[in-house]
Amino acid sequence: MTNDPRDARDLSAAARSAEVDPLHRALKALPAPRAPRTLLPRVLVDAEARRRQPGIAPWFAWSIEWRLTAAAAVVLVVGSLWFAWPAITLVGTLVLDRVAGAVEARAVATVPGIAALAHLATLAWEMVVQPALGYVLVWMVVMCAISVAIGAAFSAALGRAAFGEATQ
Amino acid sequence: MTDLTRFEALVLEYQDMVFAVAVRLLGNASEAEDVSQTVFLKVFERFDEVAASPALAGWLKTVTTNACLNHLSRYRSRWRLFSELPRERDNPGRTESVIDALPSSTPSVEDEVVRAERQAQLEAALRALPDHQRVPLVLFHFEEQSYQEIADLIGVSLAKVKTDIHRGRESLRRLVSSDE
């Protein structure tokens, strides 16, 4: 073999055999390094501390059953919110209208001058806040869902970066 | 809950294998011990899932390899820079030979001692290789991975893997060839 790097290109897996490659033979004959005696105690101490540590393991470290259950729960919650949204907005509007009406009536009864202000607030509510309320709430739900998804993906990516496909 | 006794038995069984992979990839016993500890804690976290796996040894090797590469990637910029420069370390100029590691027909005690010394030299030379040569070389010769697998794993080009392995082999071969 020469110093030409093409030699390495030609070195196939078959060429690793002991008959062909004395270096491979010498390397494979090296005794495997032994773990230091300090490794086992270190691992056990850390494991014991980890076992006593309260808290929840990262999502990607859960068993597959728990991960599926958690994913199903998220889908259930989001789906429920999606289908129940008209009813939620209807109830919310009714409650808010009733509260606003009661406050307005009491205010009118005590301070007549407030009637105009209350009327103005009612107008502002009906024309500005109420139409946007649904969109704002939907936006908040979507952002929360995206945040959760990004967090899960980031955790998975971290795990994959550290431990590769072996964690699959 | 994880059974610590079972976990301890698992660590005892595989600690040499995990440490050997780590120390050869990292070239540093202290860092290899840290990485080995991390790997076993990963096992502990999912002990029930992995302990019964028949592919546990292969899984441990893969996890250890990835953990070592992740450890080395902290120095990736230095790794790349040095890989482009001619290094005196790439040509250590050692002329000592390492005896052939295959057992002779009737090895004497002296032969055994000499062989052990030269194996230690080769092991030291392997650990002294720069990261960018040692890692692909170890994956190629000890983990029996192909060039393409190594290139994919490390994230460098196939040509660079071949060149680095060649240069690493050249450095080590000087220790071996003069004894052939």
Side-chain angles (χ1 to χ4, degrees), chain A residues 36-95:
Chain A
R37 290 182 179 179
T38 51
L39 178 59
L40 179 63
R42 280 177 60 178
V43 170
L44 292 180
V45 165
D46 226 348
E48 181 63 31
R50 190 70 61 95
R51 192 168 67 95
R52 291 182 177 177
Q53 187 178 16
I56 301 173
W59 186 80
F60 62 83
W62 295 2
S63 68
I64 187 66
E65 294 85 2
W66 280 110
R67 275 186 278 180
L68 287 175
T69 305
V74 169
V75 169
L76 191 66
V77 169
V78 172
S80 302
L81 278 175
W82 180 265
F83 285 110
W85 186 249
I88 292 172
T89 52
L90 180 64
V91 170
T93 304
L94 287 174
V95 169

Short mmCIF file of all heavy atoms in Angstrom, two decimals, chain A residues 36-95:
data_model
loop_
_atom_site.label_atom_id
_atom_site.label_comp_id
_atom_site.label_asym_id
_atom_site.label_seq_id
_atom_site.Cartn_x
_atom_site.Cartn_y
_atom_site.Cartn_z
N PRO A 36 -13.34 1.80 34.33
CA PRO A 36 -12.73 2.08 35.64
C PRO A 36 -13.67 1.68 36.78
O PRO A 36 -14.89 1.64 36.60
CB PRO A 36 -12.51 3.60 35.61
CG PRO A 36 -13.47 4.11 34.58
CD PRO A 36 -13.62 3.02 33.57
N ARG A 37 -13.09 1.38 37.90
CA ARG A 37 -13.90 0.92 39.04
C ARG A 37 -14.85 2.00 39.54
O ARG A 37 -15.81 1.71 40.23
CB ARG A 37 -12.98 0.48 40.18
CG ARG A 37 -12.23 -0.79 39.87
CD ARG A 37 -11.37 -1.20 41.05
NE ARG A 37 -10.64 -2.43 40.79
CZ ARG A 37 -9.81 -3.00 41.65
NH1 ARG A 37 -9.61 -2.44 42.82
NH2 ARG A 37 -9.20 -4.12 41.34
N THR A 38 -14.53 3.23 39.21
CA THR A 38 -15.37 4.33 39.71
C THR A 38 -16.67 4.47 38.93
O THR A 38 -17.59 5.15 39.37
CB THR A 38 -14.60 5.66 39.63
OG1 THR A 38 -14.07 5.80 38.30
CG2 THR A 38 -13.45 5.69 40.63
N LEU A 39 -16.74 3.82 37.76
CA LEU A 39 -17.92 4.04 36.91
C LEU A 39 -19.20 3.51 37.56
O LEU A 39 -20.20 4.22 37.63
CB LEU A 39 -17.70 3.38 35.53
CG LEU A 39 -18.88 3.49 34.57
CD1 LEU A 39 -19.24 4.94 34.30
CD2 LEU A 39 -18.58 2.77 33.26
N LEU A 40 -19.17 2.28 38.02
CA LEU A 40 -20.37 1.67 38.59
C LEU A 40 -20.92 2.48 39.78
O LEU A 40 -22.12 2.80 39.80
CB LEU A 40 -20.11 0.22 38.98
CG LEU A 40 -21.29 -0.51 39.60
CD1 LEU A 40 -22.45 -0.62 38.62
CD2 LEU A 40 -20.88 -1.91 40.07
N PRO A 41 -20.06 2.83 40.77
CA PRO A 41 -20.59 3.63 41.87
C PRO A 41 -21.18 4.97 41.41
O PRO A 41 -22.21 5.40 41.91
CB PRO A 41 -19.37 3.85 42.78
CG PRO A 41 -18.42 2.78 42.43
CD PRO A 41 -18.65 2.45 40.99
N ARG A 42 -20.51 5.59 40.45
CA ARG A 42 -21.02 6.87 39.95
C ARG A 42 -22.40 6.70 39.33
O ARG A 42 -23.31 7.50 39.57
CB ARG A 42 -20.06 7.44 38.91
CG ARG A 42 -18.85 8.12 39.48
CD ARG A 42 -17.91 8.59 38.39
NE ARG A 42 -18.54 9.55 37.48
CZ ARG A 42 -17.91 10.13 36.47
NH1 ARG A 42 -16.65 9.86 36.24
NH2 ARG A 42 -18.53 11.00 35.70
N VAL A 43 -22.54 5.67 38.53
CA VAL A 43 -23.82 5.43 37.86
C VAL A 43 -24.91 5.13 38.88
O VAL A 43 -26.02 5.66 38.80
CB VAL A 43 -23.69 4.27 36.85
CG1 VAL A 43 -25.06 3.85 36.33
CG2 VAL A 43 -22.80 4.67 35.69
N LEU A 44 -24.57 4.30 39.86
CA LEU A 44 -25.59 3.92 40.85
C LEU A 44 -26.02 5.10 41.72
O LEU A 44 -27.20 5.26 42.02
CB LEU A 44 -25.06 2.78 41.73
CG LEU A 44 -24.86 1.44 41.00
CD1 LEU A 44 -24.35 0.38 41.96
CD2 LEU A 44 -26.17 0.98 40.36
N VAL A 45 -25.05 5.92 42.10
CA VAL A 45 -25.39 7.10 42.90
C VAL A 45 -26.31 8.02 42.11
O VAL A 45 -27.32 8.52 42.61
CB VAL A 45 -24.10 7.84 43.33
CG1 VAL A 45 -24.43 9.24 43.84
CG2 VAL A 45 -23.36 7.06 44.39
N ASP A 46 -25.96 8.22 40.85
CA ASP A 46 -26.77 9.09 40.00
C ASP A 46 -28.15 8.49 39.76
O ASP A 46 -29.16 9.20 39.77
CB ASP A 46 -26.05 9.29 38.66
CG ASP A 46 -26.04 10.75 38.25
OD1 ASP A 46 -26.77 11.52 38.87
OD2 ASP A 46 -25.31 11.10 37.31
N ALA A 47 -28.19 7.18 39.56
CA ALA A 47 -29.48 6.53 39.33
C ALA A 47 -30.37 6.62 40.57
O ALA A 47 -31.58 6.87 40.47
CB ALA A 47 -29.27 5.07 38.94
N GLU A 48 -29.76 6.42 41.72
CA GLU A 48 -30.52 6.51 42.96
C GLU A 48 -31.07 7.92 43.15
O GLU A 48 -32.23 8.11 43.53
CB GLU A 48 -29.62 6.12 44.14
CG GLU A 48 -30.30 6.15 45.50
CD GLU A 48 -31.44 5.16 45.62
OE1 GLU A 48 -31.36 4.10 44.98
OE2 GLU A 48 -32.42 5.46 46.34
N ALA A 49 -30.22 8.91 42.87
CA ALA A 49 -30.68 10.30 42.96
C ALA A 49 -31.80 10.57 41.97
O ALA A 49 -32.79 11.24 42.30
CB ALA A 49 -29.51 11.24 42.71
N ARG A 50 -31.65 10.02 40.78
CA ARG A 50 -32.68 10.22 39.75
C ARG A 50 -33.99 9.55 40.18
O ARG A 50 -35.07 10.06 39.94
CB ARG A 50 -32.18 9.62 38.44
CG ARG A 50 -32.98 9.92 37.22
CD ARG A 50 -32.86 11.37 36.81
NE ARG A 50 -31.48 11.72 36.50
CZ ARG A 50 -30.95 11.71 35.27
NH1 ARG A 50 -31.70 11.34 34.27
NH2 ARG A 50 -29.71 12.10 35.07
N ARG A 51 -33.87 8.40 40.83
CA ARG A 51 -35.07 7.67 41.25
C ARG A 51 -35.83 8.43 42.33
O ARG A 51 -37.06 8.40 42.37
CB ARG A 51 -34.66 6.29 41.78
CG ARG A 51 -35.82 5.32 41.97
CD ARG A 51 -35.30 3.93 42.22
NE ARG A 51 -34.60 3.81 43.48
CZ ARG A 51 -35.16 3.39 44.61
NH1 ARG A 51 -36.42 3.05 44.62
NH2 ARG A 51 -34.45 3.29 45.71
N ARG A 52 -35.07 9.09 43.22
CA ARG A 52 -35.71 9.82 44.31
C ARG A 52 -36.21 11.19 43.88
O ARG A 52 -36.96 11.83 44.61
CB ARG A 52 -34.73 9.98 45.47
CG ARG A 52 -34.42 8.67 46.15
CD ARG A 52 -33.49 8.87 47.31
NE ARG A 52 -33.25 7.62 48.01
CZ ARG A 52 -32.43 7.50 49.03
NH1 ARG A 52 -31.77 8.55 49.48
NH2 ARG A 52 -32.26 6.34 49.62
N GLN A 53 -35.72 11.63 42.75
CA GLN A 53 -36.07 12.97 42.30
C GLN A 53 -37.52 12.98 41.85
O GLN A 53 -37.91 12.22 40.97
CB GLN A 53 -35.16 13.35 41.13
CG GLN A 53 -35.31 14.78 40.68
CD GLN A 53 -34.33 15.09 39.54
OE1 GLN A 53 -33.78 14.19 38.91
NE2 GLN A 53 -34.11 16.35 39.29
N PRO A 54 -38.35 13.85 42.47
CA PRO A 54 -39.72 13.94 42.01
C PRO A 54 -39.78 14.65 40.66
O PRO A 54 -38.85 15.34 40.28
CB PRO A 54 -40.40 14.78 43.09
CG PRO A 54 -39.31 15.62 43.64
CD PRO A 54 -38.05 14.81 43.54
N GLY A 55 -40.89 14.47 40.01
CA GLY A 55 -41.05 15.16 38.73
C GLY A 55 -41.41 14.19 37.63
O GLY A 55 -41.44 12.98 37.84
N ILE A 56 -41.65 14.75 36.52
CA ILE A 56 -42.10 13.96 35.38
C ILE A 56 -40.98 13.89 34.36
O ILE A 56 -40.34 14.90 34.06
CB ILE A 56 -43.35 14.59 34.75
CG1 ILE A 56 -44.47 14.68 35.80
CG2 ILE A 56 -43.82 13.79 33.54
CD1 ILE A 56 -45.68 15.44 35.34
N ALA A 57 -40.76 12.72 33.85
CA ALA A 57 -39.73 12.55 32.82
C ALA A 57 -40.16 13.29 31.55
O ALA A 57 -41.34 13.52 31.33
CB ALA A 57 -39.54 11.06 32.52
N PRO A 58 -39.18 13.68 30.73
CA PRO A 58 -39.53 14.34 29.47
C PRO A 58 -40.43 13.45 28.62
O PRO A 58 -40.34 12.22 28.69
CB PRO A 58 -38.18 14.54 28.78
CG PRO A 58 -37.16 14.41 29.85
CD PRO A 58 -37.74 13.55 30.90
N TRP A 59 -41.25 14.12 27.81
CA TRP A 59 -42.25 13.38 27.03
C TRP A 59 -41.61 12.29 26.19
O TRP A 59 -42.13 11.17 26.09
CB TRP A 59 -43.01 14.36 26.14
CG TRP A 59 -44.16 13.73 25.41
CD1 TRP A 59 -45.40 13.47 25.91
CD2 TRP A 59 -44.17 13.27 24.06
NE1 TRP A 59 -46.18 12.88 24.95
CE2 TRP A 59 -45.45 12.74 23.80
CE3 TRP A 59 -43.22 13.25 23.05
CZ2 TRP A 59 -45.81 12.21 22.58
CZ3 TRP A 59 -43.58 12.71 21.81
CH2 TRP A 59 -44.87 12.21 21.59
N PHE A 60 -40.47 12.58 25.57
CA PHE A 60 -39.86 11.60 24.67
C PHE A 60 -39.30 10.41 25.44
O PHE A 60 -38.95 9.40 24.84
CB PHE A 60 -38.77 12.23 23.80
CG PHE A 60 -37.61 12.80 24.57
CD1 PHE A 60 -36.59 11.99 24.98
CD2 PHE A 60 -37.57 14.15 24.86
CE1 PHE A 60 -35.52 12.50 25.68
CE2 PHE A 60 -36.50 14.67 25.57
CZ PHE A 60 -35.47 13.84 25.97
N ALA A 61 -39.21 10.53 26.77
CA ALA A 61 -38.71 9.41 27.56
C ALA A 61 -39.84 8.52 28.08
O ALA A 61 -39.58 7.52 28.71
CB ALA A 61 -37.88 9.94 28.73
N TRP A 62 -41.09 8.94 27.84
CA TRP A 62 -42.21 8.12 28.30
C TRP A 62 -42.27 6.84 27.49
O TRP A 62 -41.74 6.77 26.38
CB TRP A 62 -43.52 8.87 28.12
CG TRP A 62 -43.65 10.11 28.96
CD1 TRP A 62 -42.70 10.62 29.81
CD2 TRP A 62 -44.75 11.01 29.00
NE1 TRP A 62 -43.17 11.77 30.38
CE2 TRP A 62 -44.43 12.04 29.90
CE3 TRP A 62 -45.98 11.04 28.37
CZ2 TRP A 62 -45.29 13.09 30.19
CZ3 TRP A 62 -46.85 12.08 28.66
CH2 TRP A 62 -46.50 13.09 29.55
N SER A 63 -42.97 5.87 28.04
CA SER A 63 -43.19 4.65 27.27
C SER A 63 -44.16 4.97 26.13
O SER A 63 -44.89 5.96 26.17
CB SER A 63 -43.76 3.55 28.17
OG SER A 63 -45.06 3.91 28.57
N ILE A 64 -44.17 4.12 25.15
CA ILE A 64 -44.98 4.38 23.95
C ILE A 64 -46.46 4.45 24.30
O ILE A 64 -47.22 5.25 23.74
CB ILE A 64 -44.70 3.29 22.88
CG1 ILE A 64 -45.39 3.64 21.57
CG2 ILE A 64 -45.09 1.91 23.36
CD1 ILE A 64 -44.86 4.86 20.90
N GLU A 65 -46.89 3.65 25.31
CA GLU A 65 -48.31 3.67 25.70
C GLU A 65 -48.70 5.04 26.24
O GLU A 65 -49.73 5.61 25.90
CB GLU A 65 -48.59 2.59 26.75
CG GLU A 65 -48.44 1.17 26.25
CD GLU A 65 -47.01 0.68 26.32
OE1 GLU A 65 -46.14 1.44 26.79
OE2 GLU A 65 -46.75 -0.47 25.88
N TRP A 66 -47.81 5.56 27.12
CA TRP A 66 -48.13 6.87 27.72
C TRP A 66 -48.06 7.99 26.70
O TRP A 66 -48.82 8.95 26.75
CB TRP A 66 -47.17 7.15 28.89
CG TRP A 66 -47.60 6.44 30.14
CD1 TRP A 66 -46.98 5.39 30.74
CD2 TRP A 66 -48.75 6.73 30.94
NE1 TRP A 66 -47.68 4.99 31.85
CE2 TRP A 66 -48.77 5.80 32.00
CE3 TRP A 66 -49.78 7.67 30.85
CZ2 TRP A 66 -49.76 5.80 32.96
CZ3 TRP A 66 -50.77 7.66 31.82
CH2 TRP A 66 -50.75 6.73 32.85
N ARG A 67 -47.13 7.86 25.75
CA ARG A 67 -47.04 8.89 24.73
C ARG A 67 -48.30 8.91 23.86
O ARG A 67 -48.84 9.96 23.55
CB ARG A 67 -45.79 8.67 23.86
CG ARG A 67 -44.55 9.29 24.49
CD ARG A 67 -43.37 9.19 23.57
NE ARG A 67 -42.75 7.85 23.66
CZ ARG A 67 -41.69 7.48 22.96
NH1 ARG A 67 -41.15 8.30 22.10
NH2 ARG A 67 -41.17 6.28 23.11
N LEU A 68 -48.77 7.71 23.52
CA LEU A 68 -50.00 7.63 22.71
C LEU A 68 -51.19 8.16 23.50
O LEU A 68 -52.04 8.87 22.96
CB LEU A 68 -50.24 6.17 22.29
CG LEU A 68 -49.31 5.64 21.19
CD1 LEU A 68 -49.57 4.15 20.95
CD2 LEU A 68 -49.51 6.42 19.90
N THR A 69 -51.24 7.83 24.80
CA THR A 69 -52.34 8.31 25.63
C THR A 69 -52.33 9.83 25.71
O THR A 69 -53.38 10.48 25.59
CB THR A 69 -52.22 7.71 27.05
OG1 THR A 69 -52.16 6.29 26.93
CG2 THR A 69 -53.39 8.11 27.91
N ALA A 70 -51.15 10.40 25.90
CA ALA A 70 -51.04 11.85 26.00
C ALA A 70 -51.44 12.51 24.69
O ALA A 70 -52.17 13.52 24.69
CB ALA A 70 -49.60 12.24 26.38
N ALA A 71 -50.99 11.93 23.59
CA ALA A 71 -51.35 12.50 22.28
C ALA A 71 -52.86 12.42 22.06
O ALA A 71 -53.48 13.38 21.58
CB ALA A 71 -50.60 11.76 21.17
N ALA A 72 -53.45 11.29 22.45
CA ALA A 72 -54.90 11.13 22.30
C ALA A 72 -55.64 12.15 23.17
O ALA A 72 -56.66 12.72 22.75
CB ALA A 72 -55.31 9.71 22.68
N ALA A 73 -55.11 12.40 24.37
CA ALA A 73 -55.76 13.37 25.26
C ALA A 73 -55.71 14.77 24.65
O ALA A 73 -56.70 15.51 24.71
CB ALA A 73 -55.07 13.35 26.63
N VAL A 74 -54.58 15.12 24.08
CA VAL A 74 -54.46 16.44 23.46
C VAL A 74 -55.45 16.57 22.30
O VAL A 74 -56.16 17.58 22.17
CB VAL A 74 -53.01 16.67 22.97
CG1 VAL A 74 -52.94 17.91 22.10
CG2 VAL A 74 -52.08 16.81 24.16
N VAL A 75 -55.53 15.52 21.48
CA VAL A 75 -56.47 15.55 20.35
C VAL A 75 -57.90 15.65 20.86
O VAL A 75 -58.72 16.41 20.31
CB VAL A 75 -56.28 14.27 19.49
CG1 VAL A 75 -57.41 14.14 18.47
CG2 VAL A 75 -54.94 14.30 18.79
N LEU A 76 -58.20 14.93 21.93
CA LEU A 76 -59.56 14.95 22.49
C LEU A 76 -59.92 16.35 22.98
O LEU A 76 -61.00 16.87 22.70
CB LEU A 76 -59.63 13.95 23.64
CG LEU A 76 -61.03 13.64 24.18
CD1 LEU A 76 -61.84 12.93 23.10
CD2 LEU A 76 -60.96 12.78 25.43
N VAL A 77 -58.99 16.98 23.69
CA VAL A 77 -59.26 18.32 24.23
C VAL A 77 -59.45 19.32 23.10
O VAL A 77 -60.41 20.11 23.09
CB VAL A 77 -58.10 18.75 25.16
CG1 VAL A 77 -58.22 20.22 25.51
CG2 VAL A 77 -58.11 17.90 26.43
N VAL A 78 -58.52 19.29 22.14
CA VAL A 78 -58.61 20.25 21.03
C VAL A 78 -59.88 20.00 20.22
O VAL A 78 -60.60 20.93 19.85
CB VAL A 78 -57.35 20.14 20.14
CG1 VAL A 78 -57.52 20.99 18.88
CG2 VAL A 78 -56.12 20.59 20.92
N GLY A 79 -60.18 18.73 19.97
CA GLY A 79 -61.39 18.39 19.22
C GLY A 79 -62.66 18.82 19.94
O GLY A 79 -63.58 19.37 19.32
N SER A 80 -62.69 18.60 21.24
CA SER A 80 -63.85 19.01 22.03
C SER A 80 -64.05 20.51 21.96
O SER A 80 -65.17 21.01 21.80
CB SER A 80 -63.68 18.57 23.49
OG SER A 80 -63.50 17.18 23.56
N LEU A 81 -62.94 21.23 22.11
CA LEU A 81 -63.03 22.68 22.04
C LEU A 81 -63.55 23.12 20.67
O LEU A 81 -64.36 24.04 20.56
CB LEU A 81 -61.65 23.31 22.29
CG LEU A 81 -61.24 23.46 23.76
CD1 LEU A 81 -59.81 23.97 23.85
CD2 LEU A 81 -62.18 24.42 24.47
N TRP A 82 -63.07 22.44 19.65
CA TRP A 82 -63.45 22.81 18.29
C TRP A 82 -64.96 22.63 18.08
O TRP A 82 -65.64 23.51 17.58
CB TRP A 82 -62.66 21.94 17.30
CG TRP A 82 -62.97 22.23 15.87
CD1 TRP A 82 -63.86 21.60 15.07
CD2 TRP A 82 -62.39 23.26 15.08
NE1 TRP A 82 -63.87 22.16 13.82
CE2 TRP A 82 -62.97 23.19 13.80
CE3 TRP A 82 -61.43 24.24 15.33
CZ2 TRP A 82 -62.63 24.05 12.77
CZ3 TRP A 82 -61.09 25.09 14.29
CH2 TRP A 82 -61.68 25.00 13.03
N PHE A 83 -65.47 21.47 18.51
CA PHE A 83 -66.89 21.20 18.28
C PHE A 83 -67.79 21.98 19.24
O PHE A 83 -68.90 22.35 18.89
CB PHE A 83 -67.17 19.69 18.41
CG PHE A 83 -66.68 18.91 17.22
CD1 PHE A 83 -65.59 18.06 17.32
CD2 PHE A 83 -67.30 19.05 15.98
CE1 PHE A 83 -65.14 17.35 16.23
CE2 PHE A 83 -66.84 18.33 14.87
CZ PHE A 83 -65.76 17.50 14.99
N ALA A 84 -67.29 22.23 20.43
CA ALA A 84 -68.13 22.90 21.42
C ALA A 84 -68.01 24.41 21.33
O ALA A 84 -68.68 25.13 22.09
CB ALA A 84 -67.74 22.42 22.82
N TRP A 85 -67.17 24.87 20.44
CA TRP A 85 -66.90 26.31 20.40
C TRP A 85 -68.16 27.17 20.20
O TRP A 85 -68.34 28.16 20.92
CB TRP A 85 -65.86 26.61 19.32
CG TRP A 85 -65.45 28.04 19.34
CD1 TRP A 85 -65.71 29.00 18.44
CD2 TRP A 85 -64.71 28.68 20.39
NE1 TRP A 85 -65.17 30.20 18.82
CE2 TRP A 85 -64.57 30.03 20.03
CE3 TRP A 85 -64.19 28.23 21.61
CZ2 TRP A 85 -63.90 30.93 20.83
CZ3 TRP A 85 -63.52 29.13 22.41
CH2 TRP A 85 -63.39 30.47 22.01
N PRO A 86 -69.07 26.82 19.26
CA PRO A 86 -70.29 27.64 19.10
C PRO A 86 -71.09 27.73 20.39
O PRO A 86 -71.57 28.82 20.76
CB PRO A 86 -71.08 26.91 18.01
CG PRO A 86 -70.05 26.16 17.24
CD PRO A 86 -69.02 25.75 18.24
N ALA A 87 -71.24 26.62 21.07
CA ALA A 87 -71.99 26.63 22.33
C ALA A 87 -71.29 27.48 23.38
O ALA A 87 -71.93 28.24 24.13
CB ALA A 87 -72.17 25.20 22.83
N ILE A 88 -69.95 27.37 23.43
CA ILE A 88 -69.20 28.15 24.42
C ILE A 88 -69.37 29.64 24.17
O ILE A 88 -69.62 30.43 25.09
CB ILE A 88 -67.70 27.75 24.37
CG1 ILE A 88 -67.53 26.33 24.87
CG2 ILE A 88 -66.86 28.72 25.19
CD1 ILE A 88 -66.12 25.79 24.69
N THR A 89 -69.26 30.05 22.92
CA THR A 89 -69.40 31.48 22.61
C THR A 89 -70.82 31.96 22.89
O THR A 89 -71.03 33.08 23.37
CB THR A 89 -69.04 31.75 21.15
OG1 THR A 89 -69.79 30.86 20.31
CG2 THR A 89 -67.56 31.54 20.88
N LEU A 90 -71.80 31.09 22.61
CA LEU A 90 -73.21 31.48 22.85
C LEU A 90 -73.44 31.70 24.35
O LEU A 90 -73.99 32.72 24.76
CB LEU A 90 -74.14 30.39 22.31
CG LEU A 90 -75.64 30.67 22.49
CD1 LEU A 90 -76.04 31.91 21.69
CD2 LEU A 90 -76.47 29.47 22.03
N VAL A 91 -73.00 30.73 25.14
CA VAL A 91 -73.18 30.86 26.59
C VAL A 91 -72.43 32.07 27.11
O VAL A 91 -72.95 32.85 27.93
CB VAL A 91 -72.70 29.57 27.30
CG1 VAL A 91 -72.66 29.76 28.81
CG2 VAL A 91 -73.63 28.41 26.94
N GLY A 92 -71.21 32.24 26.63
CA GLY A 92 -70.41 33.38 27.09
C GLY A 92 -71.09 34.69 26.75
O GLY A 92 -71.14 35.61 27.59
N THR A 93 -71.64 34.77 25.57
CA THR A 93 -72.31 36.01 25.17
C THR A 93 -73.54 36.28 26.03
O THR A 93 -73.78 37.41 26.48
CB THR A 93 -72.73 35.91 23.69
OG1 THR A 93 -71.59 35.62 22.90
CG2 THR A 93 -73.37 37.20 23.22
N LEU A 94 -74.31 35.23 26.27
CA LEU A 94 -75.51 35.39 27.10
C LEU A 94 -75.14 35.85 28.51
O LEU A 94 -75.77 36.77 29.06
CB LEU A 94 -76.28 34.06 27.18
CG LEU A 94 -77.04 33.66 25.90
CD1 LEU A 94 -77.63 32.26 26.05
CD2 LEU A 94 -78.14 34.68 25.60
N VAL A 95 -74.14 35.22 29.08
CA VAL A 95 -73.73 35.58 30.44
C VAL A 95 -73.24 37.02 30.47
O VAL A 95 -73.61 37.83 31.35
CB VAL A 95 -72.64 34.62 30.95
CG1 VAL A 95 -72.02 35.14 32.24
CG2 VAL A 95 -73.23 33.24 31.16
#
